[in-house]
Amino acid sequence: MEISRFCALLFTISILASPALSDLVLSKVDRRIYLTSHIVRISSTLKVENAGPETVSEVLLAFPELQVKNMAYLMATPHEGKGRVKNSVVALPVEVTNPKDMPPALTFYSVSLPNSLAEGDSFIFDVLAVFTHALRPIPEQITQADIQLVVYQESAYYLSPYAVKVQSLSVKLPDSRIESYTKLENTKIHGSEIKYGPYENLPEFSYSPIVVHFESNQPFAVAQELVREMEISHWGNVQVTEHYKLIHGGAQSKGEFSRLDFQARPNVRGASAFRYLVANLPPRAHSVYYRDEIGNISTSHLWGDTKKTELLIEPRYPMFGGWRTAFTIGYGVPLKDFLYESEGKRFLNITFSSPIVELVIDTLIVKVVLPEGSSEISLAAPFTVKQWQETKIFHLDIDGRPVVALEKSNVVPEHNQYFQVYYKFNKLSMLREPLMLVSGFFFLFVACIVYMHADISISKSSASYLAKQQWEEVQAAIQQVQNIIGRCLTTHDKLEASLRDLSRTGDVQACKAARKAADGLLKELSKELKPLLTFLQSSPSAAQVLPKVEELVAKERELQEKVMVKHTTVVDGYEKKSGARDIENRVALQQQKLVALRQEVDDLLEFIDEI
């Protein structure tokens, strides 16, 4: 499907191709495609000549839409020639352009030349284009024992709006095992390298599609999301924390996984999986850790020298196609290696991307946490990024620390360049947190000394102590009232029980005896209640609760009278040999009033208990 789309695209280009934009001619094009990892790199050396009378200051580069959607990085630099010592050259400006009357299926980029080309002048420059997700696994699903085969599509001819005099193409593969490849005129293969050309005198927008199907068991490590947080401490450290969500982006694994087979023959029963990743940390990195949500992962190795620190990390399990994992790497670096001062401002100069080798990052978020009190914050990055600011609050912070957040999609190792965050910071602000700690401990010790030497006991002659004592006495009296009322209610329950026994046995004398015993007990409880009510009525502290207590006593007495009336009515009925139905009808209204009164008494008891 992708191959047919590619051919259709090139056919459209051939139909819609228009005359050259200028009299520029590419006298020589040398392209090298590196397929040695899952990141595709195309390095082209172009020699451009001006064959017309008008001066030219820019050169157009053309890329098909299928390639542009996977393009992560594009850079043009002056060619220094073979054998010369490569110094840090300045990249030529590259920007997207939309020339008129050009095929819509192409995207054009304009490269600005350092000097305009007059008639007969020439200029040689290099173009590096980096692509992600450009290798398609075929088959798309493999078992544990299968090797991984991928397909790459390209044109043997350099696609350009200019005529090309001489061009050649070299495709470098990770291994000499090649399933198939497109054979054209002047095609040679040397081990793991396929060469096409040279081809001469090709017109504008020339094309010749090629497809290479080959073995690639390189780690297809893709970070779907990476969040890098760099916290600056002016006490001498930059703490870097990186949160990874990783996936194997190669052919999907199918079938069962055998740990035994993998450990016995990992190169045969797990050739497509990757077991470890390598991260090149800064030279003086320290306090390195590698863990996930479970805890620390011990399968890591760290070694370094004065030039670099290398961290080899192994996931908890081998990563097959489609498998995912999440982990965190953290380390500290000396502040003086990355923080500088210029024109009254401090600036952090640190790398942008991940230190892991050959890692593709779908979404990268970089957060630089500046010290609290930083101001006049600005950013300088070598490429376009999405930028915003937020605030993060740590312990002992008052206003929070400013955070410069950057986001970029489709990130490759070529993006791991230095960027700068500029800000102003007052050195006296460094004393804020130490002074807060010292002041806090000082006031704590002063409070302890005052507490140990001060007499905070309450005098027994003070008004507060007397009020507290009186309230405790009121509480004790109310508790006794509640206990007496409770005993009265229990006596009422016993009378009700005697009536139930009467209806069952018909023993009137036993019922009268229970009535007599209840009368005596209730009289004694009434005597006990009188002094308590007198005390509460005379105590100012009981003014709030006294009305409820009096209401409770009155309701209980009313309830007591109703119970006695009911008891007398039922006993008289039995003595007169009245029927059970007649007796129930006579006391039905009384029973309803008893239930309502009992509920009121219970509610008052609960209310007083809460007070």
Side-chain angles (χ1 to χ4, degrees), residues 4 63 76 179 200 300 309 320 323 330 361 424 475 488 531 556 586:
S4 62
F63 292 93
E179 290 289 305
E200 299 179 355
S300 61
T309 301
F320 285 86
W323 289 19
I361 307 170
K424 281 189 175 182
Q475 285 182 311
C488 290
E556 191 280 326
R586 291 171 61 186

Side-chain angles (χ1 to χ4, degrees), residues 237-258:
N237 186 64
V238 177
Q239 181 63 37
V240 181
T241 307
E242 301 174 350
H243 304 278
Y244 291 84
K245 293 181 180 179
L246 203 68
I247 185 174
H248 188 306
Q252 300 290 307
S253 176
K254 67 177 181 179
E256 297 181 351
F257 167 67
S258 173

Side-chain angles (χ1 to χ4, degrees), residues 525-539:
L525 293 176
S526 180
K527 291 179 181 180
E528 294 179 9
L529 192 60
K530 286 181 180 180
L532 296 174
L533 290 175
T534 302
F535 169 74
L536 293 175
Q537 291 170 354
S538 63
S539 175

Side-chain angles (χ1 to χ4, degrees), residues 493-504:
D493 294 338
K494 289 180 179 180
L495 286 176
E496 293 287 345
S498 68
L499 293 178
R500 289 192 294 271
D501 293 340
L502 176 61
S503 65
R504 188 178 67 255

Side-chain angles (χ1 to χ4, degrees), residues 572-583:
D572 289 347
Y574 272 92
E575 287 181 339
K576 294 177 181 180
K577 305 299 183 180
S578 300
R581 180 64 60 86
D582 183 49
I583 294 174

Side-chain angles (χ1 to χ4, degrees), residues 372 392-401 433 436:
E372 187 178 22
K392 188 172 185 178
I393 298 178
F394 289 79
H395 51 274
L396 299 179
D397 285 347
I398 299 175
D399 300 324
R401 306 185 187 184
E433 292 184 0
M436 290 175 62

